[in-house]
Every structure is written in C-alpha cells, then in structure tokens.
Amino acid sequence: MSETTEHSQTESSTPKLILPDIPGFKNIETYLKHGGYGDRLKKVFSMTPVAVTDEVKKSNLRGRGGAAFPTGLKWSFMPKDNARKRYLLINGDESEPGSFKDRQIFEFNPHQIIEGMLIASYAMQVDHAYLYIRGEYAYWYRLMEKAVADAYAKGFIGEKMKEMFPASGDGVSYSVDITLHKGAGAYIVGEESALMNSLEGGRGYPRVKPPFPANVGLWGQPTTINNVETIANVPIIMEMGGEAFSKIGEPKHPGTLLLGLSGHVNRPGVYELPSGTLLTDVIYKYGGGVPGNKKIKMVIPGGSSMPPLRGDSLEGVKMDAESLKLVGSSIGTGGIMVMDEDTDIIHVLTRIAKFYWHESCGQCTPCREGTGWLLKVLRRIDQGQGAPSDIDLLHDVAQNIEGRTICALGEAAAWPVKFTVQRFREEFEKKVSTNNVPSSPNRVHSLRVGGLEPVQVHVPIVVRV
Amino acid sequence: MFNQEELQEIETLRKRYPEAKAMVLPMLWRVQEKQGWIDDAGMEAVAMVCDVPKSHVWGVVSFYTMFFDKPMGRYHVQVCTNVSCMLNGGEKLYAEMKSKLGIGHRERTVDGTFSLEEVECMGACGGAPMIAVNETFFERVTSAEASDVIDSIRSSNTIPAPKHIVQMPELSPAANE
C-alpha cells in the first residue's frame, strides 16, 4: 500500500509536457482551455521567425527520432534570404521495433503536434507542411484527420489564420496549410530522405546526401524533417521559454522523453520521464520490474537497431543521448526492450536480423547482401548447426555493412549483431559446435545440410583492415 | 475505376501537392479500400490520374507491404512476431492462427473470409503480444482471446471491439491490474 502511494507521488512530481494527465486533452476545446493555440500562437506570430528559431535553439531541444540532432540548429539550416518554396515534413512513420511513443501523442495530444507544426512552419516561413503517418496506424491517422479538420474549422490552420492572427505593426499576416499523408508499410520510409521519396509518390528509397534536405528536399525545395515527438515539444518551449526548457533533465539532452517500455516487464507502456532518468528506475520503479522477479539478461535501450546492453551492467545507466553513448549504446527512439535471464539471445537476434533483411530497400550491395548473410548465419547457429568460426564471421559481415551504405539501415542491421557478438559471446559459444564443419568453401552460404553436394562457389569475405 | 464524385475529390486532393505523382499512395489506398486489393485496372487508373507510367505504379505497389497485389480475405489477420511480441509469445500465437485458419503467410481461406500475415512491428510493443484484424488492434491477447476474435468474426461477420488497453500505466495504473 505504502509502495503504491510512493509510486504515484513520484509520478505527479515529474513534468508531463507531451502527455499531460488531463482528461479529454485530445479534444480541441479542452486543448484551448489549457492554453493551446490562441494566445500562445499570437505571441509566436508577433516575434520574428529568426527569434522563434533562436528560442528553440536556446532550449537545446534535440530530435527524438533517433539521431538526437539539435532541432533549432536544423531549422537554421533552411535558407532565409531567397524566395524558394520550402516545406516542413513531420515524420510519423514510427516503425522501429520497440518504439510506440508517437502513437500515444496522436491519441492523447494531437493538437500539440499541429501547434508545433504551425510554429515550426512560421519559424521557417513554410506555407505547406506535411505529416506522414505510417499505414499501420490507420486508426490514429483518423484521429489526426479529425484534429486537423477541427483546427481548420477554428481557423488555426489555413487561410483563416490571417483573420485569426491579423498582422500588427510592420508584420505581415501569415498562413500555412497542413496535409496528412498515409504510408503503406515500409520501415525504411522512416529514414528522412526515403520519407520524402515516399511522399512524392515513389518507392521508399533513401537519397544520397549531400545535398541535404535543407537545400534540396521535397520536390527539390528546401525541406526540414522533424519527428512527431520533437515537434510536440515546440509549443511547450514557446510557452515556458527556451531557457527554462533547457533546465529539465540532462542539460545536454534536455526535456522529457517518451520512453516505450516493452518485453519482459510487469507494466509495459509509454512513460514520460525527464531525460537522464536511470534505466533501472524506468524498468523497476515505473515498469514494475521483471515478471517472476527474474534477472535481466539483455536490454535494448533505444529500439531494435541500437546496441544492446548486458543485464549486469545497467547500474547507473541514464536515459539520454550522451549517457548512453558513454556505455556504448544510443538513445535511438527511446524504445526499451527488456529480456529476462531465460531469453534465448540468439533467437532474438535472429528475429532482429530477419527484420532488417526484410526491410532493406536493396539499393546498396553491402546492406542488400549483408543483411541476408547475417540472417543465414544466425539461422544456422539458432538451429544448432553453427560452427565456432561463425561467431567471428558474423562480426566480420556486420563490420562490412556498417558505414558502407547510403542510409543508416546499414548500421541498424549491423549494430545489434556486432554488439551482441561482442557483449554476449558466451551465448553464441553455447550454441555452436566443433562438430559442425562448413560444407563448402563459401563460409556464408554453407548450409551444412547433410547429404547435399557442397556448392563450389567462392565468395570472399572482405576483411576490413 | 473512379466515378464522377471521386474524380472531384481527387481534384481537391491534387491541390495539396505540387505534383500529381504524390497522389500515388493516396490513390492506391483508395483502390484497395474499394475492392480489397489492387488489380491491373486499378494500377492503370492510378497511373492515369497521377501522370506516371504504369510500371512506376507497379513498382510502388510491390514496395509497400500493405498493398495487396492479389485478392485477400475480407478480414486480414495480422500477427506480429517482432521482438517485443516474440518475447511475449507472438510466435506461438502466429502458429496457432496458422492452424486455426488453415492458411499461411499472405494466404487466403477458400471462402475469402480470412487472410493471414506475419507482420513486422506494428507499434503495439507495450501491448504485446498483439494481433490486428484489418485496422483494429487487439493487444495483450491470450491464445484463447485471439481464437475468440476469429470465431466472433465467423459468426457475426463483424470485427468485435477490442478490450481497452491503457498503454500509459502512469495515467491510470489500475487499468493494468
């Protein structure tokens, strides 16, 4: 009983900026009652666009989509002094396994996303912004459709903005349109340049960078791409001021983070906590610990593409970009996956490898071929047919994908394998056997199925020097 | 493929994008919502409306997993077996669905009622394991509950309402008891 009380007390003391505990907050009336749109936007539109960007810079807000890039800085890359048409594109393609935070914002606080888009659009003088939502979120897409329609009807989006917020002094009146766009099932579309290609009506192929989107983006025009959670922070920053925001949580990665907790935990779900919260607190204090009080074998702290951590090295690990970097992982999208002591790590890793193999768009050879090689080798280890040499082979293949592809899917596929081999070698050693001898000189493609003639094809594995 | 009224709507949608090509995905969704899958005539219509070659449309259809290039069941059952669901029994759930429906990945029952797909992460990790029927998510489902969903659809020809799952324990901890 006393534990429950303590639990709720701690929670009420943490700031809830993105998912406030207000019933009906998703309705525009309730949102307005709590200070949304109206006066806050009036204040923003009375500032210069540069001043708005500066406020976001001051907040030290960093992107929540995986790379943790400073948002204000990203905005400032947009050309200011020419008349080219420009776009804002909000990435709601949330597809990283273990990540389900944006979905909660769509459901519980859609108007803060819209208001963030309005502010960002004004700061970059965009007159058309797009919000791309993954196809699987059809239900949440409809919630957003309603929210956008409501905001249009009230005059907060579109032409009516000019009446709602008349220009004062020397200022000119401003308006922006917002269009929703539904994806159709492709993980890679969450990569920003693939997202642009998808919105433009093509296959989701990532683009070669440079040129960067701020110069050549959607339809060849300057474009800024922000994550849904990132943009939902913007109205809060304008409300409390950049400086106040920068003091929440870890100074180098301030604000609250939406941490998606899943796997072997008693209370899975999305928790909004200040950055820098201890990982063990997220799992035990908020998530209620592991079922059956089992020990933790492995935790993936930021979505399936991020390097996993050993269960015996979680003490003192904090959830923010810099702290996780120090322990050899990354905040990613904040999707925490917990695995107990009975988990078959190789089986999990094989599933992860299958995912990246399935999702590789196939443009770059190292990723297209390498993801399949990883899967093949992992499958045979998983099925008890792996040889001891396969362990280094996996590491080797992963090493040869990383850094050799157009987009970060290469790293996303390579990192889990590479770091699991490094950090959980004993798990692999348990599953391989010296009785398993490669049946062909081709180390990757050897299937070691009894009775089959060895296939004499030699594909050398390039070893990085 | 598109009637007069729909063509009007398409004209309205066209104004949201600087190029007609951007309507490829929305148009394909429209075709699929209409007839359950995207056939040759559908691709042709999309190509005409969006000013792109038909080969481009086929390229898009084949790239995205949610577009069906063959008829699927009226109720498309999706079972996630990605990490969080797998840790909570997603693989077992998928095997059970396979045997219950008697079909495999992206196959359809003879009567056209059901089709099945082993899907990648659908963003319901906090509600693992999960299945989805068309657009409805059933989260934290047991084998028995998943089986009931199928039976219920079979007998009533509608998708039952999912039991409400609060994915935010901090908002109402009691809901997860």
Side-chain angles (χ1 to χ4, degrees):
Chain A
M1 190 67 205
S2 62
E3 209 183 280
T4 325
T5 327
E6 192 191 337
H7 179 73
S8 46
Q9 271 175 357
T10 333
E11 280 181 350
S12 58
S13 63
T14 59
K16 298 275 186 280
L17 311 178
I18 309 296
L19 298 172
D21 202 352
I22 300 169
F25 204 55
K26 64 176 153 200
N27 302 318
I28 194 162
E29 300 295 345
T30 316
Y31 186 74
L32 284 167
K33 230 178 275 168
H34 286 85
Y37 296 121
D39 289 344
R40 190 154 63 198
L41 282 179
K42 219 171 266 170
K43 189 181 115 191
V44 169
F45 295 151
S46 70
M47 297 162 73
T48 66
V50 176
V52 176
T53 306
D54 283 345
E55 204 59 40
V56 175
K57 268 190 190 164
K58 243 186 266 170
S59 75
N60 283 330
L61 174 67
R62 291 171 69 172
R64 306 289 198 239
F69 192 82
T71 307
L73 186 63
K74 194 185 232 182
W75 291 8
S76 69
F77 291 156
M78 291 285 271
K80 287 166 204 70
D81 51 357
N82 62 33
R84 290 169 72 194
K85 195 168 170 70
R86 59 207 51 217
Y87 296 101
L88 173 71
L89 172 55
I90 301 304
N91 188 345
D93 192 59
E94 180 164 75
S95 314
E96 180 80 19
S99 174
F100 49 107
K101 62 184 176 71
D102 295 343
R103 178 184 143 180
Q104 309 300 330
I105 316 177
F106 294 140
E107 182 159 349
F108 292 98
N109 198 355
H111 289 288
Q112 206 163 303
I113 302 173
I114 297 169
E115 194 183 341
M117 288 176 76
L118 298 174
I119 297 169
S121 298
Y122 176 74
M124 290 174 273
Q125 291 294 292
V126 164
D127 65 9
H128 206 132
Y130 295 90
L131 170 55
Y132 188 111
I133 300 175
R134 70 182 300 200
E136 289 86 345
Y137 283 0
Y139 172 74
W140 292 271
Y141 182 86
R142 284 198 297 275
L143 294 183
M144 279 312 298
E145 254 181 346
K146 180 177 184 309
V148 168
D150 287 350
Y152 258 109
K154 292 261 182 207
F156 293 123
I157 318 177
E159 271 299 304
K160 282 195 201 159
M161 285 172 80
K162 288 180 176 162
E163 298 162 35
M164 186 69 115
F165 307 104
S168 56
D170 301 334
V172 284
S173 59
Y174 172 75
S175 79
V176 57
D177 277 302
I178 291 179
T179 299
L180 296 182
H181 198 89
K182 189 158 90 170
Y187 167 74
I188 189 56
V189 166
E191 196 277 339
E192 60 174 14
S193 59
L195 187 73
M196 295 192 291
N197 279 343
S198 181
L199 179 64
E200 287 180 15
R203 292 164 75 102
Y205 284 154
R207 300 177 183 173
V208 179
K209 290 182 263 188
F212 291 97
N215 190 25
V216 182
L218 277 173
W219 299 287
Q221 306 297 327
T223 302
T224 289
I225 299 123
N226 284 140
N227 174 265
V228 168
E229 187 188 341
T230 314
I231 211 73
N233 269 293
V234 170
I236 298 295
I237 291 168
M238 300 317 291
E239 173 84 38
M240 63 164 62
E243 212 178 308
F245 184 90
S246 74
K247 290 185 178 129
I248 303 169
E250 275 298 302
K252 284 187 174 162
H253 188 194
T256 60
L257 300 177
L258 297 189
L259 302 172
L261 184 64
S262 67
H264 294 141
V265 283
N266 283 318
R267 280 200 302 269
V270 170
Y271 293 89
E272 179 172 6
L273 295 166
S275 63
T277 302
L278 286 174
L279 177 55
T280 46
D281 274 358
V282 182
I283 298 171
Y284 292 102
K285 195 163 131 193
Y286 298 99
V290 182
N293 271 326
K294 287 183 185 164
K295 280 192 205 133
I296 294 173
K297 189 185 270 186
M298 176 161 119
V299 174
I300 303 176
S304 72
S305 62
M306 295 302 152
L309 300 171
R310 285 182 68 95
D312 53 21
S313 64
L314 303 180
E315 219 46 59
V317 174
K318 291 197 278 185
M319 290 303 293
D320 65 86
E322 299 304 319
S323 307
L324 280 168
K325 218 183 272 171
L326 288 177
V327 294
S329 192
S330 179
I331 186 75
T333 51
I336 303 169
M337 290 188 277
V338 181
M339 288 157 235
D340 70 20
E341 54 188 316
D342 297 334
T343 310
D344 182 346
I345 297 294
I346 310 302
H347 194 58
V348 171
L349 189 61
T350 307
R351 186 63 186 82
I352 293 176
K354 185 187 167 209
F355 174 73
Y356 291 105
W357 170 70
H358 180 260
E359 302 298 340
S360 173
C361 83
Q363 277 192 111
C364 315
T365 314
C367 174
R368 182 184 61 236
E369 303 300 321
T371 50
W373 294 5
L374 291 176
L375 179 60
K376 218 173 226 183
V377 176
L378 275 163
R379 268 192 177 154
R380 70 176 181 241
I381 298 177
D382 189 35
Q383 288 159 11
Q385 295 179 341
S389 61
D390 283 339
I391 306 175
D392 287 331
L393 176 63
L394 274 179
H395 196 267
D396 200 17
V397 174
Q399 196 78 279
N400 279 289
I401 300 173
E402 194 184 338
R404 290 173 160 81
T405 52
I406 289 175
C407 83
L409 196 134
E411 281 76 30
W415 280 0
V417 175
K418 180 176 145 184
F419 289 100
T420 308
V421 170
Q422 284 176 15
R423 292 169 189 174
F424 294 87
R425 204 178 172 95
E426 72 281 3
E427 296 283 326
F428 292 85
E429 281 162 352
K430 261 190 265 170
K431 273 210 166 180
V432 295
S433 160
T434 44
N435 294 335
N436 295 326
V437 182
S439 62
S440 94
N442 178 336
R443 297 186 294 156
V444 166
H445 295 286
S446 156
L447 291 172
R448 297 193 189 94
V449 180
L452 278 184
E453 281 294 307
V455 188
Q456 298 293 328
V457 190
H458 184 71
V459 179
I461 305 295
V462 185
V463 180
R464 181 142 78 173
V465 282
Chain B
M1 180 61 59
F2 301 121
N3 60 35
Q4 215 44 44
E5 194 188 326
E6 284 170 312
L7 287 171
Q8 277 298 313
E9 284 172 35
I10 292 168
E11 279 311 307
T12 314
L13 183 71
R14 174 68 186 82
K15 298 196 179 83
R16 314 297 298 188
Y17 304 99
E19 282 178 13
K21 189 182 152 199
M23 294 198 298
V24 170
L25 263 67
M27 287 300 105
L28 286 171
W29 272 121
R30 199 169 262 268
V31 171
Q32 184 156 306
E33 276 153 22
K34 244 177 130 132
Q35 53 188 32
W37 66 294
I38 297 160
D39 62 355
D40 207 62
M43 283 191 256
E44 205 169 292
V46 173
M48 297 309 277
V49 169
C50 302
D51 302 335
V52 290
K54 199 171 143 196
S55 60
H56 175 84
V57 179
W58 169 232
V60 172
V61 170
S62 59
F63 188 84
Y64 296 91
T65 55
M66 291 182 80
F67 290 140
F68 302 140
D69 58 357
K70 61 179 180 187
M72 295 300 247
R74 284 194 303 284
Y75 300 97
H76 186 58
V77 180
Q78 301 140 80
V79 186
C80 174
T81 60
N82 211 306
V83 180
S84 299
C85 283
M86 183 180 116
L87 294 171
N88 288 290
E91 286 179 330
K92 183 169 155 273
L93 206 54
Y94 177 58
E96 287 164 358
M97 281 292 126
K98 267 204 291 200
S99 68
K100 179 157 182 96
L101 298 169
I103 46 174
H105 179 64
R106 278 176 101 93
E107 283 176 2
R108 178 171 78 136
T109 54
V110 184
D111 64 359
T113 309
F114 292 102
S115 48
L116 181 65
E117 186 173 359
E118 180 184 8
V119 290
E120 297 298 350
C121 188
M122 292 186 83
C125 315
M130 69 89 71
I131 68 167
V133 181
N134 297 349
E135 295 174 353
T136 308
F137 284 26
F138 296 87
E139 299 179 50
R140 243 166 267 174
V141 285
T142 61
S143 299
E145 285 165 349
S147 176
D148 286 349
V149 170
I150 303 299
D151 292 338
S152 164
I153 292 172
R154 254 194 203 128
S155 60
S156 68
N157 210 17
T158 49
I159 302 171
K163 66 173 186 192
H164 185 63
I165 292 293
V166 174
Q167 285 245 342
M168 302 202 1
E170 48 184 358
L171 284 193
S172 90
N176 286 295
E177 305 278 272

